[in-house]
Amino acid sequence: MILFVLLVFIDRRGEYCGEKGIWEVETFFKQTIKDPEFAPDAAFLNIIKRYETIIEEFPNTFAASKAYLSMGRIYLMRKQYAKAREVLETAVKFSKTQEIAAYSVAEIGRSYALENNLVMVEKTYVRMLEGYPVTEIGLQTPFYMVDFL
């Protein structure tokens, strides 16, 4: 117990607090928005503001990378594809891991697919294969290409 308290104290502005913030926002999201199609805009704006707070408070953490990815996904749910891509590109740029960056690129590709922009979907698949070939989603990309293109 003393070790836990010591670690929390030492890392109070770091990974643990950021991850706890992400968990709280995701829990709130699941409880608040049962059906994204019918959820009010205010609920989504509240969640986005909470992710932005995590990014401001813990800018160089894994939690901030996850917050960008989650925000991008929310914009995708709201069919705000250009905004989603903007946020997801930020997630790629500031990502702390190849996995988060790869999932962000995959979501960018999904935004183009939802717009039925096959040229950009293909470019995104190529970007995935060149930039993130050994990530979990990167290894699956050839299968998505066969199914989609």
Side-chain angles (χ1 to χ4, degrees):
M1 177 68 175
I2 294 172
L3 179 61
F4 174 75
V5 172
L6 181 62
L7 288 174
V8 169
F9 179 75
I10 291 170
D11 192 44
R12 68 178 178 264
R13 300 293 299 161
E15 296 295 338
Y16 173 78
C17 292
E19 284 293 321
K20 183 178 179 223
I22 290 288
W23 177 82
E24 289 171 353
V25 175
E26 289 174 353
T27 301
F28 177 78
F29 180 84
K30 289 175 186 171
Q31 292 172 348
T32 306
I33 301 176
K34 302 289 186 204
D35 188 352
E37 285 290 317
F38 300 105
D41 288 339
F44 284 103
L45 292 175
N46 182 358
I47 292 166
I48 287 172
K49 284 190 187 302
R50 292 175 81 168
Y51 281 128
E52 288 172 342
T53 300
I54 291 168
I55 292 165
E56 289 172 16
E57 290 182 9
F58 313 104
N60 296 314
T61 63
F62 182 71
S65 300
K66 286 174 63 176
Y68 280 120
L69 175 59
S70 296
M71 283 174 48
R73 288 176 170 163
I74 288 173
Y75 285 118
L76 281 176
M77 276 189 243
R78 302 305 291 169
K79 297 179 173 63
Q80 297 175 0
Y81 303 123
K83 181 66 176 174
R85 286 191 291 270
E86 177 186 324
V87 172
L88 292 164
E89 286 293 352
T90 304
V92 172
K93 183 177 178 182
F94 293 110
S95 178
K96 292 294 177 190
T97 68
Q98 289 285 308
E99 287 294 327
I100 295 290
Y103 277 104
S104 298
V105 171
E107 293 294 351
I108 291 167
R110 187 163 71 99
S111 75
Y112 287 122
L114 291 169
E115 290 180 323
N116 212 17
N117 185 340
L118 299 181
V119 171
M120 291 307 295
V121 170
E122 184 176 5
K123 286 182 180 181
T124 305
Y125 281 151
V126 170
R127 178 181 177 189
M128 177 71 75
L129 290 173
E130 290 175 352
Y132 312 98
V134 294
T135 61
E136 180 183 351
I137 194 81
L139 292 169
Q140 296 171 4
T141 299
F143 300 108
Y144 290 126
M145 289 177 75
V146 169
D147 286 344
F148 194 80
L149 302 174

